[in-house]
Amino acid sequence: MATVDNLNRKLSPDAVKFGAMGLKPTWAMRSDYFSQRYTTHWGELPTVKVMVCPQPLPAVLSDGSNAD
């Protein structure tokens, strides 16, 4: 106990704590925009539409020229 007191005096109050004291989180998750059923209702899941190209697109290099 004396060692914990010495460390807290040297570093800062509550620098060393016992596990039973717990921690107060400095942040909290914001759930303002979540649906109440965000993982349980299929109709509320986002959908993605994919367009399939009939032929592959030509490869383009980073300088804008074609790789062909």
Side-chain angles (χ1 to χ4, degrees):
M1 186 68 181
T3 304
V4 172
D5 291 337
N6 287 335
L7 286 170
N8 283 336
R9 244 182 269 118
K10 192 177 199 179
L11 301 174
S12 70
D14 297 328
V16 179
K17 297 180 183 182
F18 292 103
M21 292 175 68
L23 299 173
K24 292 182 181 177
T26 57
W27 59 273
M29 185 175 88
R30 292 183 58 189
S31 56
D32 299 340
Y33 302 110
F34 282 136
S35 161
Q36 296 299 315
R37 305 175 295 184
Y38 63 94
T39 60
T40 58
H41 194 264
W42 284 103
E44 294 176 3
L45 292 174
T47 57
V48 177
K49 294 183 180 183
V50 178
M51 187 175 88
V52 179
C53 294
Q55 56 187 347
L57 298 173
V60 177
L61 300 177
S62 61
D63 64 359
S65 63
N66 286 346
D68 295 333

